[in-house]
């Protein structure tokens, strides 16, 4: 099992029972690549909170980070839902089993379900906006200029990117290649277009023009 780290770049990594069980689930059903990505997302999100002086629930952000891509794994993937929703449902069920209040369950659900929703997530609650920023930083380099070289090197030292740019797109695709229709209207349709020759995207305008209405 990957060694448990207590802190990095001045960020305390939650070690409660809930936090540790969430970590174990990711290690069991995911892989080291997703684990390292998820840990970087948590640390990047937390650093953004520190830089902007934003208050947040560290444990809920941590659990959200660990679950945010679990919907890509065979264990949690549904046949017909967006992978973000699969991960959000899994996290909600997990936390419900620990007796967390409904408000916390909904917050974690939103944090995971909206983590790829550009233009909305950044305007939601702190945890939702922070994890969206952490994902954006790790995947697309958004806010890279605010990350010091020392922090960047320390985080990557603990949680290596391991050819991340080349591996993350196929990793995404493997989680929803059996349900590409779920990418309609979201950025993961770009992944399908990248991975599938001559991929035909569902088109919103076609939906309007070919609707059953006569006019």
């Amino acid at each position: 099992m990957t060694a448990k780290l207590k802190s990095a770049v001045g960020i305390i990594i939650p070690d409660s029972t809930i936090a540790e069980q969430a970590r174990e689930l990711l290690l069991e059903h995911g892989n080291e690549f997703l684990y390292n990505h998820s840990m970087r997302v948590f640390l990047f999100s937390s650093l953004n909170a520190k830089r902007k002086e934003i208050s947040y629930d560290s444990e809920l952000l941590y659990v959200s980070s660990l679950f945010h891509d679990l919907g890509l794994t065979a264990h949690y993937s549904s046949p017909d839902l967006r992978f973000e929703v699969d991960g959000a449902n899994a996290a909600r069920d997990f936390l419900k089993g620990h007796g967390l209040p409904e408000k916390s369950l909904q917050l974690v659900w939103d944090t995971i379900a909206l983590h790829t929703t550009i233009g909305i997530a950044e305007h939601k609650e702190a945890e939702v906006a922070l994890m969206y920023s952490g994902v954006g930083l790790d995947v697309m380099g958004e806010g890279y200029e605010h990350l010091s070289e020392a922090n960047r090197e320390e985080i990557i030292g603990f949680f290596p990117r391991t050819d991340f740019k080349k591996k993350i797109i196929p990793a995404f695709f493997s989680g929803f290649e059996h349900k590409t229709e779920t990418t309609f209207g979201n950025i993961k349709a770009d992944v399908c277009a990248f991975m599938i020759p001559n991929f035909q995207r569902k088109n919103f305008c076609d939906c309007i023009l070919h609707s059953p209405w006569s006019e």
Side-chain angles (χ1 to χ4, degrees):
M1 177 179 291
T2 303
K4 181 71 172 75
L5 187 67
K6 293 184 177 181
S7 66
V9 293
I11 303 298
I12 302 299
I13 297 175
D15 61 357
S16 64
T17 298
I18 290 175
E20 186 58 20
Q21 286 183 5
R23 175 177 173 271
E24 290 173 355
L25 283 173
L26 176 53
L27 289 170
E28 177 183 358
H29 300 294
N31 53 42
E32 188 174 10
F33 183 77
L34 286 182
Y35 174 76
N36 286 339
H37 165 56
S38 298
M39 291 301 298
R40 292 194 305 270
V41 165
F42 170 72
L43 291 171
F44 291 152
S45 301
S46 299
L47 283 175
N48 282 337
K50 189 175 183 179
R51 178 173 61 85
K52 296 180 179 180
E53 299 183 339
I54 297 173
S55 298
Y56 66 102
D57 188 308
S58 181
E59 182 178 66
L60 294 185
L61 180 63
Y62 182 69
V63 171
S64 297
S65 298
L66 295 180
F67 270 88
H68 88 278
D69 275 346
L70 270 178
L72 296 170
T73 67
H75 183 78
Y76 290 105
S77 181
S78 70
D80 58 355
L81 299 177
R82 284 179 58 161
F83 86 91
E84 300 96 330
V85 172
D86 287 335
N89 288 344
R92 181 171 58 192
D93 291 342
F94 166 73
L95 292 175
K96 189 180 296 183
H98 286 277
L100 268 67
E102 185 60 36
K103 184 177 181 180
S104 297
L105 299 180
Q106 188 62 55
L107 179 59
V108 168
W109 196 95
D110 286 351
T111 300
I112 297 170
L114 295 173
H115 80 265
T116 62
T117 307
I118 297 171
I120 293 178
E122 60 265 47
H123 302 292
K124 290 275 290 176
E125 295 87 349
E127 292 77 9
V128 182
L130 286 171
M131 198 178 76
Y132 171 80
S133 74
V135 170
L137 176 51
D138 198 43
V139 177
M140 298 183 292
E142 292 186 341
Y144 184 88
E145 67 276 12
H146 299 302
L147 185 65
S148 72
E149 182 178 356
N151 284 347
R152 182 171 66 248
E153 293 303 320
E154 182 176 346
I155 291 172
I156 293 175
F158 285 125
F159 307 107
R161 284 176 64 85
T162 56
D163 212 11
F164 186 82
K165 283 186 176 181
K166 292 183 179 179
K167 292 180 179 179
I168 189 58
I169 295 175
F172 283 144
F173 183 65
S174 69
F176 48 75
E177 60 181 316
H178 62 294
K179 50 178 180 179
T180 57
E181 69 281 358
T182 64
T183 66
F184 172 52
N186 68 80
I187 60 175
K188 290 303 185 285
D190 294 338
V191 172
C192 294
F194 185 86
M195 295 294 295
I196 303 174
N198 302 313
F199 176 68
Q200 296 297 311
R201 301 171 187 242
K202 189 174 180 179
N203 185 285
F204 174 57
C205 293
D206 287 341
C207 292
I208 296 173
L209 296 174
H210 298 145
S211 80
W213 294 103
S214 59
E215 43 69 39

